[in-house]
Amino acid sequence: MSSEKFQSKGGFILASIGAAVGLGNALRFPGLCAKYGGGAFLLIYSVALLVLGLPILNAEIALGRKIKGGAPKCMKSLKKSGEGFGWASCVNSVFTAVIYAGLAGWIIATAATVVPLCLNAPSLTDTEISGYFFDTVLSARNDGVIDGFSFLVAGCILAAWVLMFLCLKGGAKSLSKAARFTVAIPITLLVFLAVRGLFYPTSSEALAALFIPDFSKLSSPELWLTALGQVFFSLSIVVGIMPAYGSYLPEGTNIFKCSLVIAAADFFVSVLASVVLFTTLYGCGLQEQIGASGIITAFAVYPVAITRLFGDCTALNAAVGVLFYSSLAMMAIQSAVSMLEAFLNPFSERGGKPKKKIAARICLIAAPVTLIFATTAAPVAVDISDRFINFYNVLILGIAECILIGASKKTGDLAAEINKFTRKLKMPKKPFGVSVAFLSPAVLISLTLYEVFRLCTAGLGYPLWLQIAFGWGLSAAVFALPLILNTKFTPRNIWRRNKLHP
C-alpha cells in the first residue's frame, strides 16, 4: 500500500466534503425539494441521512483505514468474490468522472458566454436566454444525431481535464489543497446569493415553499424512495471514493466525528443551494420553472434568473454570472477528481505503477472520448449515460456492498474501528449493524424494483440504439472490465510484466 496520507484531519475532511458536495447538491437537490413538497422532502432526507447515509459513510472510511486499501481490497476482505464488485465501483467512478468532465466543460463554456448574454439581455426574450446554451452554443438535437461540433465547448472540456490532472498528480496532498478552493469558494458565493435572494419581496413565499412541509405528499411512495435514495447519491458513498480516502487517514483520526462534519456540510450546502434557487427564481417570477432536472436548472433556468438578478445593472449581473458558473465548475471538477482517485488508488497499488503516470494516461485517453459532449448529441448522451452510470449502476453496487458487509458479519469489527479514537460520542454498535446490513439494502432494493416497474411501464423515451450506445453498453462495460482487470493482475501476469519491464 502506498504510504501517502492526508497531512491532517482537516485535509481529509475538506477532501471528503469536496467529494460529497457536487452538482447534485447545488442543482438536483433543490429541484427534488420543489417536486416533492419542500419541507416534506427535507424531513425524510434528513432522517435518512442519519439512519442510512451516516452509517455507510463511516463503514467505508473505517474499511479503508483498517484494510489500508481502496474498494477492491476492502470488498475482498469481506468476501473473496467481492473484489469484482469493488473494481466495478472503481470503473463506474471513472465513467462518472467522464460525465462530470463533460458537464464541467459545459459550465466553463457558460461562464465564458454569460457576460455577452447579460449585456444583451435587455433585447432578448426569456425564451431566447433560456435556450441560449443548448440552441446557440451547442446547437443541440434531441434525436442523438451528430451533425455539429462546438469548438468552444471542446476547448473548455479539455481545459477541465488539464485542471483535473493538476489536482490528481500530487496525490492526497494536492487533493486536500485543491479542496480548500473548490469547497470554500462555491459555499461563499452560495451564501452571497442566498442573502441576495432574501431581499426579494417574494422571499418569505419562497422560504415557505421550501421549508413548510406539504404533508399530503407523504402518501407518495415515490417521495420516500427518492428522498431515501438521494442520500446515497449525495454523500458519494458506494462508489469507491471513501474507502480510498479512508486509507489515507492520518493515525489517530476520529472517524465518527469526521463523518458527522462531512454529512453536516453536505446537508448544509444542499439546503443553502435550495434557498438560493427558491428565493432567486421566486424573486424573478420563474418559480414555475423549478424542476427536478439539474441540467435544465443550470443551463436553461439560472441564465434567465442571473440576467435579471440586479435589474438593469447588466455589468453586475455578468460578474455574478461568471462567479456562479466558475463555482459550479469547481464543484464538477472536484467531484470528477474524487471519482478518478477512487480508481487510481487500487489500480496503482495492484499494478505497481506510479499514480501520476496512470492519471496522465487516463486523462489522455478519456479527454478525447469526452468530446462527445461538445457535439449536437451532447444533451441526449448526458441524460442517458448519467441515468445508467450514476443511478442504475449505483443502486446495484450499493446493494452488493451492503449485502457483502452484512453477510461477512463484521459490522461489530467495523463499529470498533469507527470508535477506535472516539471519546464520549460513539457510533452505536447495534443500530449501525441493522442500518448497514438490513435497512440500507432494503431501501436500495425497493428503489431498484420501483425503477424497473417505471421502466417497464413508461420506458426511457429514447430509441433503443441510443439506450445501447449511451446506457446499456456502458453499464455492461462497468461490470465486464473488472474481469479483465482481475486477469491483468494475476500474480503470474504481474511477475511477467516485472520481468520484461524491471
Side-chain angles (χ1 to χ4, degrees), residues 187-269:
I187 291 178
T188 301
L189 185 62
L190 284 175
V191 169
F192 169 77
L193 290 174
V195 172
R196 169 67 184 95
L198 295 177
F199 284 94
Y200 283 114
T202 56
S203 62
S204 58
E205 181 185 355
L207 294 176
L210 174 60
F211 289 111
I212 297 178
D214 180 358
F215 290 109
S216 64
K217 298 281 187 178
L218 293 177
S219 60
S220 168
E222 186 178 356
L223 161 63
W224 286 85
L225 289 174
T226 304
L228 297 175
Q230 177 64 16
V231 169
F232 296 90
F233 307 123
S234 180
L235 282 177
S236 292
I237 50 181
V238 306
V239 291
I241 295 175
M242 294 307 170
Y245 282 13
S247 69
Y248 299 156
L249 272 178
E251 193 63 27
T253 302
N254 184 331
I255 291 178
F256 188 49
K257 186 176 180 180
C258 289
S259 298
L260 287 173
V261 174
I262 295 166
D266 181 80
F267 183 71
F268 170 74
V269 173

Side-chain angles (χ1 to χ4, degrees), residues 81-167:
S81 58
E83 183 178 15
F85 285 103
W87 279 116
S89 68
C90 294
V91 173
N92 196 72
S93 289
V94 173
F95 285 21
T96 303
V98 171
I99 298 172
Y100 271 60
L103 291 175
W106 287 13
I107 294 167
I108 295 171
T110 304
T113 57
V114 75
V115 173
L117 185 62
C118 287
L119 296 178
N120 295 323
S123 61
L124 300 174
T125 65
D126 287 353
T127 301
E128 289 172 327
I129 296 172
S130 178
Y132 182 79
F133 179 76
F134 290 118
D135 297 338
T136 303
V137 178
L138 270 180
S139 300
R141 298 176 56 135
N142 295 323
D143 55 7
V145 174
I146 298 176
D147 64 358
F149 185 81
S150 172
F151 288 96
L152 170 63
V153 174
C156 293
I157 289 174
L158 295 179
W161 278 106
V162 171
L163 292 172
M164 287 159 57
F165 174 71
L166 293 176
C167 292

Side-chain angles (χ1 to χ4, degrees), residues 421-444:
F421 298 103
T422 59
R423 294 181 181 179
K424 294 181 179 180
L425 193 62
K426 296 180 180 291
M427 171 66 75
K429 182 177 178 181
K430 288 187 177 179
F432 169 76
V434 171
S435 174
V436 175
F438 299 103
L439 292 180
S440 291
V443 168
L444 291 170

